[in-house]
Amino acid sequence: MEKILIATTNEGKFREIKNELDDIPFEFVNLKDCRLHQLDLEEPYSTTRENALYKAEFYAKKSGFLTIAEDTGLAMDDLGGRRGAVVAEQVRERERSGMSEITWLCDACGFALGPA
């Protein structure tokens, strides 16, 4: 049976995508199955669509399999609808600054944190 790579290490995403496609006659594998899970792939584009296409092409070349990829991210109305790579870069900046995730989210949404 021919294989399709679902380019994720997230077991929940893998199951969700696999379940949607389960009626087609392919064996579905993930990045761990192909021993590609330790590659650190950047997200160089500003849209989730471009990053997903980039991931699919990259992992297809590495694995030799037809590949499905996605690029999801946090999207919140209070963040101006920004998502994907834009929010991911902001999260990386937050991590570099040492700011906690909750403090960053509150700051990004315009909320003030006071003493507990």
Side-chain angles (χ1 to χ4, degrees):
M1 183 176 287
E2 195 171 346
K3 294 180 182 179
I4 293 180
L5 171 61
I6 299 174
T8 185
T9 56
N10 181 309
E11 290 296 323
K13 287 181 185 179
F14 177 75
R15 278 191 308 274
E16 183 180 343
I17 295 169
K18 181 181 179 296
N19 288 341
E20 287 295 319
L21 303 173
D22 218 16
D23 59 339
I24 63 174
F26 288 90
E27 177 185 350
F28 296 97
V29 295
N30 63 31
L31 292 174
K32 289 179 185 174
D33 297 329
C34 296
R35 301 180 199 267
L36 297 173
H37 62 287
Q38 293 182 336
L39 294 177
D40 187 24
L41 185 62
E42 290 292 317
E43 296 180 342
Y45 299 102
S46 61
T47 68
T48 56
R49 182 180 189 280
E50 289 171 311
N51 282 323
L53 287 171
Y54 175 75
K55 287 179 185 181
E57 290 172 358
F58 176 86
Y59 287 117
K61 286 177 186 172
K62 291 287 185 186
S63 68
F65 298 134
L66 180 63
T67 302
I68 297 170
E70 53 78 38
D71 183 49
T72 57
L74 176 67
M76 295 175 61
D77 289 339
D78 284 337
L79 293 176
R82 294 172 286 163
R83 51 182 292 166
V86 173
V87 173
E89 179 54 34
Q90 291 170 335
V91 169
R92 284 190 288 275
E93 287 176 22
R94 175 200 55 83
E95 290 169 347
R96 287 189 293 267
S97 74
M99 184 185 291
S100 74
E101 191 168 5
I102 191 68
T103 301
W104 175 80
L105 276 172
C106 288
D107 185 59
C109 294
F111 301 122
L113 284 180

